[in-house]
Amino acid sequence: MELTLDEALQKAIEAHKAGQVQEADRLYTAILKAQPKHPDSNHNMGVLAAGVGKAQEALPFFKTALEANPSIGQYWLSYIDALIKLDRITDAKTVFDQAKKKGASGEAFNQRGAKLNFNKGTSTSLEAAQLIKKAIIYRENGEFATAIKLLTNCLSEFSGSAELLSLLAHCYLLNDDLENVSFYLGKAKEIDPHAVSVGLNDVRLLMQNNKMSDALVVARKTMEIFPENVEGMGVIGACLRVNKEIDQSLLYLDKAISLNPDYAEALINRGLIKLTQKDKLGALSDLETAHRLKPHMKQIWDLVISLNAELNNFEQAISLLSNMAKSDPSNEKHFENLGRYHQYLGNLEAALKNYTHAVKIKPDFAEAYSNMGVTLQDKGDLEAAIDSYKKALKIKPDYADAYNNLGAALRTKGDLKAAIDCYIKALKIRPDYAQAYSNMGVALKGIAFTKPISGLMEIIISLLDQRTPCMPYTIAPAAISLLKLEPTLKELLEKHSIGTLRQSLQEMTSTFAELPLLSKLMSVCPIADLELEAILVDIRLALLSSVDEISISPGILRFQSALALQCFTNEYIYNQTDKESELLKALEVVIEKKLSNDQQPSPHSILCLASYKALHEYEWCDALTINTDIEEVFVRQVQEPKEESRLKANIPILQEITDKVSSKVREQYEANPYPRWVNLGLSLRPKTTTQLVKELNLRIFDNAANDRPAPNILIAGCGTGRHSIVVASRFKDCNVLAIDLSLSSLAYAKRKTEELGLQNIDYMQADILSLNKLDKKFDIIESVGVLHHMDDPMAGWRVLTDCIEPGGLMNIGLYSELARQHIVKIREEISQSGIGSSDNAMKLFRTEAINSDKAHYERILTSGDLYSLSTFRDLLFHVQEHRFTICQIKDCLSELGLKFCGFESDKIVGDFKLTNTGPDDPYDLDKWDLYEKDNPHSFVGMYQFWCQKVT
């Protein structure tokens, strides 16, 4: 539909205001083609031309507009401003006089008059204009001192030029000489207070003096007078940014940049806004453009360098920083940063060279010594690394990072207790130090304490209070060994073990309640200790037996809450006697009766019941009044299961599961979602595939694996989400699809994922055998502890191989035939006995196993899988299990076209390297086969290894 002239004009004006210069120009041109004398279109075409610095081309348009309609004051103002820009002051005065004769008036005309009434012989001469242009070139190139010298040398000749004085003030401002700024800007104001440059430099000075709101007032007044001034758009944009008016700031900055793409200051301010909006790529683009335009602006260098580093563009960061170091060779920080960036790239020698240079410039540079230690540690020179950390600490005794790094080196060396001491010191200095907590969690794995350590219990409690530094079950043995050194608990356990415990129930529960670390452990993971389990079982029975008699205190209620959470987390694995069943039924009747009479049962009775059965299994659970005594138990035992039921209904299903074995496995995990967990360890800093390959010391055969910045990852068999969540936090910018047979497990996983605020995981119910229906390829596939539960593991593994991109990586976990011989024997005995796999049958068998003196039973007593029902079922009662040898794995990899990249276990690989010292040995499965035959218990958990699809 063809537009009328008025409609076209309206659209042109809208485009003009929005900064859409080309569209506005097109529409105005079309109007002028139809009506060459159209006044508004002529005027606005002139404004467009003047706005991009083409004042000479603007003049005919303004002249035509005035000829068509001389009564419009803005036409006169625009014409006069264009003449002033061209330094045609005489012509401007003539036009001004004509406008006045035509009746033009108002403040804007008065301001133009003031502008034109200064000493024409000095301020408007061609020589002054040329001088100003030359000074501006010096200013734009960062040669502020040269510009100042040029301008001051001519002051006596051109002292009446407001433009010259204002430019001089700006150069002094850029040269950090505020006293002279105020002086010369004041002189410029005396001559022409309404000059645009005077107003803009006034804004800059106010901002420099941190008078941001005052600066904005002046900026707005200046832009009212000179609305089309491009430099002014940039200045008010900067002013609005610091005043937190971001949307308005962007409008001005975008328009300024569209009119002048080389406007460095506007680009810098827009880049800074993008940085606050987390648009790092957009910020880097603007700031790098500004840097190319004005490389002398050193503050941009720092931003561009740091942004490149944050975006892993380390080569670019190094290139820029090397130039900075050349221009400022005495700045030790440049060399320290160069060292860090080279270190990230794996250029360890270059990193050491720069750190060494940094400490040569500044011998007391603690940060450089600490980072040098990290590089030396990466090189494998632990002793030199430790020495470097100690130098840093000698310089700076309260340096938490150095203590943390020293702890990491000592842990690698095998001195766990010294490492823990370092982490304690780091955390005393910085109690919120996430990396030190994470490292403490790693150091506590597999250690048993024989002496108390001051302050460690409190740190472990803080560690467990946080959701993500570590998986609680991994540090529980260390924490329990520490607890058992407490005199009161030690005495209690000793007396209980020999049957001489005479303490009252109240005294026993009080003893436990006074051990906050024990209560915390009980709340977040199964207590994998038979001594503690035995006394907890007895206390649970005693509490149930005396539910109406015991005197309740806040401490006892806290302990009861922890006990109820412990029993829920271990899925009520403790065996229940007939006496307990009778007492439990009686308590259920009492509670139900109270609730039916609109009475609330005591917290003590609810917690007692929750130690035997999950509260959500009772229809009356929603009738409970929640108070602080039962709140945590209610959340875990009622609210969270209900949330899982809600989530379960919305989990997508790939297709119906029809394979018989898959269906049986699904039934098992619907009944016992595996594993039940509360907290887990997440990566504090997600890493690229390249970084993780290097960290894991994997041998890569196709570098395509390293070239995927946002990998698509499949977790084939995610269970309750522990695996998928860890992976989602481990790989930078990844997208994860996690599948499982069990909807109950997936609902648990989905709830925990939402609880942790992760946005990059999708869940789906699917059988590995049906994954071809997805019609999707993945960069990385992880399937740990899954394939060996399939009817035909190779069939499943073949499907996964078909789903991975060429060059993609696969993380596989399989049971070891050698390491599980004791499990095989027990499974055979279970099968022959015909005891079944009901919850009660498993609990009874577990009790028999604990009391057995058979050697193969004793071996399972050290397994954490003994201490919760789902893990115990998985250990001994799984409906399907295959096991592999390393030779079989080698054959499978060959058949599937996969290459072995390495095992994922620092401990096992470290032990292997003690006797297999060749650089290729860790990637030689024949050598691993020999090693396992000599060390048959090495892979008691499972083989966990990486492989790559090679075309």
Side-chain angles (χ1 to χ4, degrees), residues 410-412 414-421 442-447:
L410 291 167
R411 177 176 60 81
T412 303
D415 193 347
L416 293 180
K417 291 183 179 177
I420 287 168
D421 182 59
V442 174
L444 289 170
K445 293 177 185 176
I447 192 171

Side-chain angles (χ1 to χ4, degrees), residues 213-412:
S213 57
D214 293 344
L216 186 55
V217 170
V218 176
R220 283 181 166 141
K221 285 182 179 178
T222 303
M223 290 307 294
E224 284 174 9
I225 301 170
F226 304 100
E228 300 301 323
N229 185 277
V230 178
E231 184 183 2
M233 293 175 194
V235 172
I236 194 171
C239 198
L240 286 162
R241 178 184 69 80
V242 297
N243 278 282
K244 310 299 183 187
E245 296 186 31
I246 302 302
D247 291 341
Q248 280 294 308
S249 174
L250 281 172
L251 285 174
Y252 278 106
L253 294 172
D254 287 342
K255 188 173 182 181
I257 293 164
S258 71
L259 294 171
N260 179 11
D262 293 339
Y263 193 170
E265 288 79 3
L267 286 161
I268 291 170
N269 280 288
R270 190 172 72 175
L272 292 172
I273 289 174
K274 289 179 179 179
L275 200 55
T276 62
Q277 295 174 337
K278 310 299 182 187
D279 179 9
K280 292 182 180 179
L281 285 172
L284 182 59
S285 175
D286 279 349
L287 292 169
E288 281 190 328
T289 303
H291 172 255
R292 284 193 296 272
L293 292 167
K294 293 195 174 181
H296 61 273
M297 296 180 74
K298 297 293 176 65
Q299 67 270 34
I300 312 177
W301 286 39
D302 290 333
L303 275 172
V304 171
I305 290 166
S306 63
L307 267 175
N308 272 295
E310 285 180 40
L311 293 167
N312 294 325
N313 301 330
F314 293 115
E315 290 91 347
Q316 177 70 359
I318 288 169
S319 174
L320 292 168
L321 191 52
S322 296
N323 289 332
M324 281 191 78
K326 286 177 185 175
S327 64
D328 188 10
S330 63
N331 189 328
E332 70 282 354
K333 197 65 185 172
H334 294 335
F335 295 97
E336 194 259 344
N337 284 330
L338 277 169
R340 285 194 297 113
Y341 300 154
H342 277 295
Q343 186 177 331
Y344 293 142
L345 287 174
N347 304 331
L348 302 185
E349 292 300 332
L352 285 174
K353 180 180 177 182
N354 280 285
Y355 288 138
T356 302
H357 194 72
V359 296
K360 186 177 180 181
I361 296 170
K362 185 182 179 186
D364 62 346
F365 196 175
E367 290 79 4
Y369 276 116
S370 183
N371 287 330
M372 188 187 299
V374 174
T375 305
L376 290 164
Q377 193 170 338
D378 285 348
K379 284 189 69 180
D381 193 346
L382 283 178
E383 294 303 329
I386 290 168
D387 182 61
S388 194
Y389 296 138
K390 288 180 177 177
K391 285 179 180 176
L393 287 166
K394 187 175 181 180
I395 296 165
K396 191 175 178 182
D398 62 347
Y399 192 7
D401 286 339
Y403 275 119
N404 179 57
N405 291 336
L406 178 57
L410 291 167
R411 177 176 60 81
T412 303

Side-chain angles (χ1 to χ4, degrees), residues 118 122-136 139 147-172 180-181 183-185 187-189 191-192 195 197-198 201:
F118 53 75
T122 59
S123 63
T124 62
S125 70
L126 180 62
E127 189 178 350
Q130 290 174 339
L131 179 70
I132 288 171
K133 285 180 182 178
K134 192 173 183 180
I136 288 173
R139 181 193 68 182
I148 290 168
K149 184 176 180 181
L150 175 67
L151 293 169
T152 52
N153 285 343
C154 302
L155 274 179
S156 58
E157 186 177 355
F158 303 110
S159 59
S161 171
E163 289 295 326
L164 187 147
L165 290 165
S166 179
L167 175 59
L168 180 57
H170 190 199
C171 291
Y172 273 121
N180 274 315
V181 177
F183 177 79
Y184 286 107
L185 190 58
K187 291 289 185 184
K189 284 181 182 179
I191 297 168
D192 186 3
S197 67
V198 172
N201 286 328

Side-chain angles (χ1 to χ4, degrees), residues 411 442 695-697 903-912:
R411 177 176 60 81
V442 174
E695 184 179 285
L696 296 169
N697 292 312
F903 283 107
E904 184 173 344
S905 171
D906 291 342
K907 176 71 169 62
I908 295 172
V909 173
D911 290 344
F912 171 85

